[in-house]
Amino acid sequence: MKPLLTAAIFGLLAAPAFAEGDPAAGEKGFNKCKSCHMVVSDAGDVIVKGGKTGPNLWGLAGRQAGTADGFNYGDDLVAAGEAGLVWDEEKFVAFAADPKKFLQAETGNAKAKSKMSFRLKKGGEDIYAFLASHGPAPAEEAAAEEGAAEEGAEAATE
């Protein structure tokens, strides 16, 4: 019982830090994105069938910018990723609101541009929460936390 309680507590503590938005609202909001983007797992499971103009957004949360396999990113986004840009909620929302302005600020290059011209007026937090729930990171983090909780419980009983 104790390992289960410990794992539950770790899960509750980690959840709020992951994404502040509403994944259900984000799934609906993603309709604005799916003309260019899809969400397809590494195993080929289609979560959202969408366009191929933009990269597959599976596993976006916590990923280095400009690194999804099979997509030809713009030079400025790749440079931002190489300089350390990793997608979190704050960065994703700012990028979606104004990609060009975001990259200019992120790279320090007033001439930086993005291949994405669409600007998301609202709902970025929700869309990020939806995307954060679809990727390898949540499952791997949960498994790691559960394993750590079980190890801690075993050590406490020894």
Side-chain angles (χ1 to χ4, degrees), residues 17-80:
F18 195 67
E20 297 292 325
D22 176 5
E27 182 174 13
K28 184 178 178 183
F30 192 79
N31 286 332
K32 298 172 189 169
C33 310
K34 72 179 186 178
S35 61
C36 296
H37 297 278
M38 67 185 109
V39 181
V40 178
S41 76
D42 294 335
D45 299 320
V46 177
I47 289 88
V48 177
K49 183 178 180 179
K52 296 181 181 179
T53 305
N56 178 8
L57 298 182
W58 167 263
L60 172 94
R63 182 172 70 208
Q64 179 181 331
T67 60
D69 290 336
F71 188 77
N72 184 21
Y73 288 94
D75 293 340
D76 294 317
L77 186 62
V78 170

